[in-house]
Every structure is written in structure tokens, then in C-alpha cells.
Amino acid sequence: MDYVQAIVDGLLFGAVYALIGIGFTLIFGVMNKINMAYAAASFAGAYVSLGIAQVVGLSGDFGLPPFVMFLVSAVAGGVFAYIVYLICFRFTPDHYELASLMATIGTLLMVDEMVVQATNGEPQNYPEVLQGIFDNPMLEFSEEFAIRGDLLTLFIVAVIATLGLLWVLFRTKLGLATRAVAQQRMAAQLCGIRVDRTNATTFVIAGVLGGLAGAMIGAVVGTLLQSLVVIPLTIKGLIVTVIGGLGSIPGAIVGGLMVGAFENVFLAIRGVTERDMYVMLLLFVFLAFRPQGLFGRVAVRD
Amino acid sequence: MDFYFGMLQIVGLHTILGLSAYIILLTGQVSMAQAGFMSIGAYIAGMLTVLAEMHLIPAMLIGGVAAALVACIVGFPALRVKGLMLVVATIAFGEFIRIFWFNFDYQISRGGVKLGPEGGEGFKQIRFFPENGWSTLDVAIFIWVVAGAVIAAVWWMDRSRAGKVLRAVGEDDLAAQSAGINLTVVKVSAFTAGGFIAGLGGSVYAHYTTHIEHLNFDIVMATFAIIYPILGGLSNVFGTILAVIFVQVFLLEVLRPLGDLRNLLFGAMIIVVMNFMPHGLFSAQVASRIKGVFSGRKEGANA
């Protein structure tokens, strides 16, 4: 058994967990609320791209460039995220976080059921659009250790997406507004920032990242199966967010890579059915010894 | 007639489940792990009656105590986090238990038949009721005896000093702490009590369905548990019971022709209620308004 291989594969795949974690953490940053439906709604975007591919018939030999799938998935993810914002956050009471929490859980169940209805609960083949950009295996160091080309592509795309997000957050007016709202909502409002619009934009940005993550998962795994994607990945994204520290983007990145490597090692040792149990144990270890997460602030009462 | 008895059974079981979350919610904590606690009661009580051939009632109590123990152990680390983090922690814990049962195999062969939980296949043949010749009505009565006991216990607790303490913690835990209330004891006790009730409900549920599997205790069940007290408002236990009747009888049975779309409908209902009546369908305001109508007073006289 080669642990180095497992860890490297896991780290590369962990990049999508990092993307999902960033989405959760961004929304928590501006709203101070958790959007339970975030990952599910974004993966619905991946299902939309898949549906289009099936209708147009792209899935056989893939005529269009692969980025079209990603683009469709990202756009649909953004649109769904906006819808989630409207139905779960825009009109629920601001000070009563239980309302938006339960509404997003309701949305999560709804999206899950919609995907079941759309796919009959069967796994759907996803075109492996990440294949062929690099050779596979890309780098072969020895017989036991090689870097997979599709995972490397996924990692690079995720890094580019993260850099893009950081550019938006730290180099544009929109990012300035987002950071202002995250820091002090009332003060931001007094400076003339439209908080509602900033919140909605943050949701859309997070949704775009999530849609991208969903499409990449589909492309690397080769299939999308509702019972393995919608709710399990929501939970994994939440775990990444908590481990990294709620509201911290570096935390989500480190947490995502860590969870990816960790689960892949346990996949190699204990098999696929028990893998997620160990990820949850990792969360409980963090809750017991470092509840604020890797990069989180220590909770203060306001 | 059996249809109505079946209805009665479901409402009774879900009332037990809803009240297990009600106690925890009184302290201001949202537990999404109630389905997990329920599964512990279900599997353990099922194993006791099937594999150890125990009578149902001691098996139920042991199942409830086992779930309470787990809830108590979970309560401590989970209490280091508050609010939304607790939601994440309890969701993860509920899924942890579910995946545990998915991997859990413990079968013995008796008379050529294999009995016991079998991983993903679930736990079949929990045949205590049919073996002892209980009819649907008997089972329904039994479920309601248990549910009635739980309702009475929670109602009494709610009106006693313990209820005041739980509510004080739920309203403002810092203020409660300043008043000399030990937060850890209160929160962990609420978790333990909630775990016991959920385990009790689970052990009845296992014998009522005769076949349980890990998918019975997924996030949908956890959402059911927590949504009843929220819809019912937290003013008293009867709101929770009304919410169970509303969801299970009206929403899911009357609209049965919609078939498989019921989960969709359940999700949509939560969204609609949270947007328009975030404090629940039977909240204190609504209750006082209804009271006002019956006593002939003008609306809002005592709001």
C-alpha cells in the first residue's frame, strides 16, 4: 500500500473540497448564517450541465471544448445560489437565524428530491472532460507513485478559480463592499453600501465556485450519483468549513486539502463504506480540542 | 379501519420524535442528531428482542438508556460550540451513526434463519408484535400509551422549575449563568433527556416497521424531528403535537396523490412557513389570537 500516492491524490482532489468550503465560508462571512443548501444547489448546476450535454449529445465523442461544460455548470450554480438567497435569506427575519437555517434545510431536501426525480436515483455518466489535457499519468516517478493528469488539471482549475476569487475580493470595489459587510454590517450600510445587493452577489460568486466544483467532481469521478453527491458533499463541505474556521478563506483551503488527503488515506486502509466515518471523527477531534477551527477567531459575545 | 390505525401509529411515533427535539430546543440548541439517537434505540431494542429474546418493555428501556448515554457523551464536546456550529456538529454526528449502522454486521443463525442487522441490507424480521399476536389496534394503543407517557412527562417538566431553567438558558444563556444556573449541566441534561426520548421512540419504531435500515434515519428524519417543535412554536407541548398532525396527516396523507413528490412538498412547506410565519404555525401570538376569538375579545388585546 502506498500512502504517498494516497495522500497526493487526496490533496489534489481536496482542491474541490476547498472550493466548496470557500463557498460556505464566504456566505457565513457576510451573512453570519449557514446556507445548508449551498452545495446542493451548486451541484444542481452540475446536473444542468450534464442534462444539456445529454440533450445535445455531447457525451459521446466530445465535440465542444470541455470548458463549455464547466461554464454552464458555473453559471447554473450561480443562478441557483441566487434563487436560494431569495427564498431562504432575503425575506426571512434577520435576527432570527433559525428561520433561514430551517429554510435552507428545506431547500436542501427539495433539491435532493428534485435530483432523484430527474435521474431516477441512478448514477449519471459525466463526460470526462478533464481527461486528455495532460497525459495520464502525467508524471510517473516510479511504478507505485504517479500524478494523475485529470487530478492535476482539477487542481490547477481550482487554484485559478481561487485566485480569481481573491482578485475579486481584494482588487475590486465589489470585493471591498463584501469585506466591509463581513466586517461590520451596520457601518457598511451607513457608508452607502447596499447590503442586500452585496449579500446577493456573494451568494452568486459562491454558487459559481460551487458549480465549478460540482462539474469537476463529475468529470474526475466519471459519474454523478445523487446519494453520494448531494447530501454527503454538503456535509463534507460543512466539515471543511468548521475545521478551517468559520468565515476564514485560508482555513477553508487548508481544511479542504487536509480533508481530501485524510479521507483518501482512510479510503486506502478501510475502504469506501467507512471512509466518511473517519472524516467525521476528524471533525469531532477538532470540536473537542480546537472548536474555533484552524484559522477561526475565538468566539466573542457581541 | 386499519388505515386510520396506521395513521394513529405514525402520528404517535412522530410525536415522540418531535418532543425529543422539543426539550433540546427549549435550551436554544438545534439538534440535527435526533434521527441518530433514534436509530440507536431502534437497533439495540431490536437486537434485544430478536437475538436475546427479551420482552419488549425492558428492551425499550435499555434502548432508550443507550441512546441517552450516547447523547450525554455527545453533549459535552458539542457544547463547546454554539449556535450554527452545533448544527453542523449534530448533522455530522447523525450521519456518523447512520454510516456506522451501514457498516454494522451482527448476525446469528437460529433454526437455519439468519437473524440480526446486516449492514446495508438492514435489520429484518423484528417480529415481536406479530409473534405475540398484536393487532394493528393493539400496536396503535401501545404506541399511544408510550407517547402519552412522554407527552405527560414533558408537559409536567415544562411546567415545573426544570422547564423554567431550560427556557431561561434558551432565552439568554449569559443571563441564566449570571443567575447561578450551571449551563453545562442544563444543556447536557437536555441532550440526555432528548436522547432518551428519541431512543424510546426508535425502539417502538423498529418493532412497528419490523424492518429497519440505515436509510430510515437519514437527514430527512432528523429534519422531521426538529421541524415539529419549530412549527409548533415553543409555548407548550401541544403545539408540537398539532404540528405533527399538520405535517403527517394533512400534508403527507391528504396530498398523497402527489406520490413521490412528498419530500419535495415537505421541503417547500418548510421554506414557505419560514418566510411567512418564522415563529411557527402555532406560536404564542397565534395561540393568544385564537384564545381571543373564543373569549370574544378583540384581536391583540393581550398581545
Side-chain angles (χ1 to χ4, degrees):
Chain A
M1 176 141 5
D2 192 1
Y3 293 111
V4 182
Q5 179 73 59
I7 290 174
V8 169
D9 282 354
L11 276 177
L12 292 176
F13 191 72
V16 286
Y17 295 157
L19 278 187
I20 301 168
I22 289 173
F24 275 113
T25 238
L26 264 183
I27 294 167
F28 182 82
V30 291
M31 303 279 303
N32 261 309
K33 286 172 184 161
I34 286 183
N35 177 5
M36 298 293 275
Y38 159 66
S42 308
F43 296 146
Y47 273 100
V48 167
S49 71
L50 182 61
I52 289 177
Q54 282 174 345
V55 169
V56 185
L58 303 175
S59 42
D61 21 52
F62 199 70
L64 282 173
F67 72 83
V68 174
M69 290 286 282
F70 284 15
L71 203 66
V72 171
S73 177
V75 169
V79 171
F80 288 142
Y82 184 65
I83 296 174
V84 170
Y85 173 71
L86 282 184
I87 60 177
C88 299
F89 290 88
R90 182 69 182 81
F91 302 107
T92 50
D94 207 30
H95 51 275
Y96 184 61
E97 58 191 28
L98 201 55
S100 57
L101 176 76
M102 290 320 295
T104 53
I105 292 178
T107 315
L108 172 65
L109 299 183
M110 238 172 99
V111 172
D112 194 47
E113 189 63 29
M114 279 178 189
V115 174
V116 173
Q117 297 291 332
T119 63
N120 290 322
E122 283 162 13
Q124 303 291 310
N125 287 326
Y126 203 92
E128 297 186 348
V129 291
L130 290 176
Q131 300 280 6
I133 295 170
F134 290 111
D135 296 338
N136 205 10
M138 166 68 185
L139 294 167
E140 207 166 359
F141 294 103
S142 70
E143 277 196 12
E144 283 175 343
F145 178 54
I147 289 180
R148 279 171 60 185
D150 52 350
L151 284 181
L152 188 65
T153 321
L154 169 149
F155 190 78
I156 291 170
V157 175
V159 169
I160 294 171
T162 311
L163 291 177
L165 170 78
L166 293 178
W167 181 79
V168 169
L169 275 184
F170 290 96
R171 288 282 179 276
T172 62
K173 274 204 157 171
L174 172 67
L176 188 66
T178 309
R179 283 182 294 138
V181 173
Q183 207 170 46
Q184 238 302 336
R185 165 183 267 222
M186 184 67 86
Q189 203 163 18
L190 290 174
C191 292
I193 293 171
R194 288 165 71 175
V195 174
D196 283 339
R197 210 164 75 176
T198 312
N199 287 344
T201 325
T202 312
F203 268 74
V204 172
I205 293 173
V208 167
L209 289 180
L212 202 59
M216 290 203 290
I217 289 171
V220 165
V221 180
T223 56
L224 284 178
L225 174 58
Q226 163 268 341
S227 63
L228 293 180
V229 167
V230 180
I231 287 172
L233 283 176
T234 299
I235 294 169
K236 214 163 277 175
L238 287 169
I239 291 176
V240 166
T241 317
V242 171
I243 286 178
L246 277 173
S248 157
I249 292 177
I253 296 171
V254 176
L257 298 179
M258 204 169 111
V259 167
F262 187 82
E263 74 160 25
N264 227 29
V265 170
F266 277 94
L267 174 69
I269 303 174
R270 302 291 305 179
V272 69
T273 54
E274 289 182 25
R275 183 189 65 184
D276 290 351
M277 279 171 77
Y278 295 99
V279 178
M280 286 152 192
L281 282 178
L282 183 69
L283 171 75
F284 301 139
V285 169
F286 264 87
L287 287 180
F289 295 106
R290 200 174 163 79
Q292 75 273 32
L294 287 171
F295 292 81
R297 288 162 298 171
V298 179
V300 279
R301 194 186 157 86
D302 44 20
Chain B
M1 212 53 206
D2 269 4
F3 172 78
Y4 295 101
F5 294 150
M7 201 75 261
L8 213 58
Q9 292 171 334
I10 293 172
V11 171
L13 284 167
H14 281 255
T15 301
I16 301 175
L17 187 62
L19 289 179
S20 80
Y22 174 86
I23 289 195
I24 300 177
L25 201 61
L26 279 185
T27 64
Q29 307 176 95
V30 177
S31 164
M32 292 288 290
Q34 295 311 108
F37 298 145
M38 185 180 172
S39 74
I40 295 173
Y43 271 86
I44 288 186
M47 271 153 50
L48 287 174
T49 56
V50 173
L51 304 179
E53 292 183 321
M54 203 183 250
H55 190 268
L56 176 61
I57 289 169
M60 272 170 55
L61 290 176
I62 296 172
V65 169
L69 274 178
V70 174
C72 181
I73 295 167
V74 175
F76 277 104
L79 292 180
R80 294 200 54 183
V81 294
K82 286 210 307 198
L84 294 170
M85 293 270 275
L86 183 70
V87 179
V88 177
T90 48
I91 284 192
F93 185 74
E95 282 293 289
F96 176 80
I97 301 180
R98 186 180 68 75
I99 301 173
F100 175 81
W101 295 125
F102 179 65
N103 287 292
F104 185 74
D105 260 317
Y106 185 83
Q107 289 197 297
I108 5 182
S109 203
R110 186 181 296 147
V113 186
K114 281 201 154 184
L115 296 169
E118 188 191 356
E121 292 291 307
F123 187 176
K124 292 170 195 153
Q125 305 279 336
I126 309 174
R127 294 175 52 80
F128 182 85
F129 288 144
E131 269 167 15
N132 290 289
W134 293 38
S135 70
T136 320
L137 177 63
D138 297 338
V139 177
I141 291 171
F142 178 73
I143 289 175
W144 270 97
V145 169
V146 178
V150 170
I151 292 169
V154 175
W155 182 79
W156 173 79
M157 188 278 314
D158 212 358
R159 293 184 55 102
S160 72
R161 185 169 180 280
K164 301 276 186 296
V165 171
L166 292 187
R167 283 172 190 277
V169 172
E171 287 291 322
D172 188 335
D173 53 358
L174 193 69
Q177 200 170 22
S178 332
I181 293 172
N182 185 337
L183 290 189
T184 311
V185 170
V186 173
K187 288 184 175 178
V188 173
S189 313
F191 247 93
T192 311
F196 178 76
I197 297 174
L200 209 60
S203 53
V204 182
Y205 174 79
H207 293 85
Y208 147 80
T209 56
T210 71
H211 172 200
I212 51 175
E213 57 176 324
H214 66 108
L215 285 174
N216 295 137
F217 307 103
D218 62 356
I219 203 162
V220 179
M221 190 61 105
T223 310
F224 271 130
I226 195 72
I227 202 68
Y228 297 134
I230 292 178
L231 287 184
L234 284 175
S235 39
N236 60 46
V237 292
F238 301 108
T240 305
I241 303 170
L242 285 177
V244 174
I245 295 171
F246 172 74
V247 171
Q248 290 297 332
V249 179
F250 173 72
L251 205 65
L252 299 187
E253 285 305 322
V254 176
L255 303 178
R256 188 179 270 281
L258 289 172
D260 291 342
L261 296 174
R262 296 196 304 169
N263 264 357
L264 211 68
L265 200 72
F266 178 53
M269 184 274 297
I270 298 176
I271 298 170
V272 170
V273 172
M274 286 299 128
N275 273 287
F276 295 105
M277 302 179 88
H279 293 281
L281 295 172
F282 313 105
S283 60
Q285 273 176 324
V286 178
S288 73
R289 202 175 298 163
I290 293 171
K291 222 181 265 173
V293 169
F294 279 112
S295 59
R297 267 178 300 176
K298 284 269 185 321
E299 212 177 88
N302 54 353

